[in-house]
Amino acid sequence: MDAGSLKEFITIEKRVIVEDDIGNQSSEWQPYYKAYAYVNNLYGNEYWAAAQTQAQNTVVFTFRYHPLFDKLNSTEFRILHRDKEHNIKSVDNIKYANISVKIKAVAKD
């Protein structure tokens, strides 16, 4: 992986349950991990397959591997990129080599 291609600053947020002074619970997003990533839109066959399911605003984030990526899931985590929220759809530890991780995420409207 070319370290120079990791140009975009990304924040991964985790949904946590917080409690107010009188015991009411609510969920909020808190920063979990910050890193630089290579960001790319879908293209070619991947783009057209996503367009059929109305998911053409899918973005692929490529990070250097970190063990916390093994804990990511689509319900508790999301990605912030350029002040835009992205819901995680899949996390791929490429070839299980623990070198790089690709995360496909869909931008929220």
Side-chain angles (χ1 to χ4, degrees):
M1 172 183 288
D2 177 24
S5 66
L6 305 176
K7 297 178 184 178
E8 296 289 328
F9 188 71
I10 308 296
T11 301
I12 296 176
E13 293 185 322
K14 183 176 182 175
R15 183 190 317 258
V16 295
I17 304 299
V18 294
E19 199 170 285
D20 64 13
D21 296 338
I22 59 172
N24 295 323
Q25 292 184 341
S26 63
S27 66
E28 71 178 38
W29 294 99
Q30 294 181 350
Y32 182 73
Y33 182 71
K34 296 180 180 187
Y36 285 91
Y38 172 72
V39 181
N40 197 12
N41 292 319
L42 293 181
Y43 57 90
N45 292 339
E46 282 186 320
Y47 174 82
W48 294 111
Q52 290 178 345
T53 61
Q54 303 298 316
Q56 61 266 38
N57 55 349
T58 300
V59 179
V60 178
F61 299 91
T62 305
F63 296 87
R64 284 186 203 194
Y65 176 79
H66 189 283
L68 76 85
F69 288 118
D70 296 335
K71 300 175 187 175
L72 293 185
N73 60 55
S74 60
T75 56
E76 294 179 287
F77 297 92
R78 72 178 181 186
I79 293 176
L80 283 183
H81 172 243
R82 295 185 179 180
D83 296 325
K84 193 165 189 178
E85 301 165 356
H86 295 76
N87 294 326
I88 295 174
K89 294 298 174 193
S90 67
V91 179
D92 179 17
N93 181 355
I94 300 171
K95 298 181 184 178
Y96 293 100
N98 295 345
I99 296 171
S100 59
V101 173
K102 278 190 179 183
I103 299 176
K104 286 187 182 179
V106 177
K108 286 178 64 175
D109 294 328

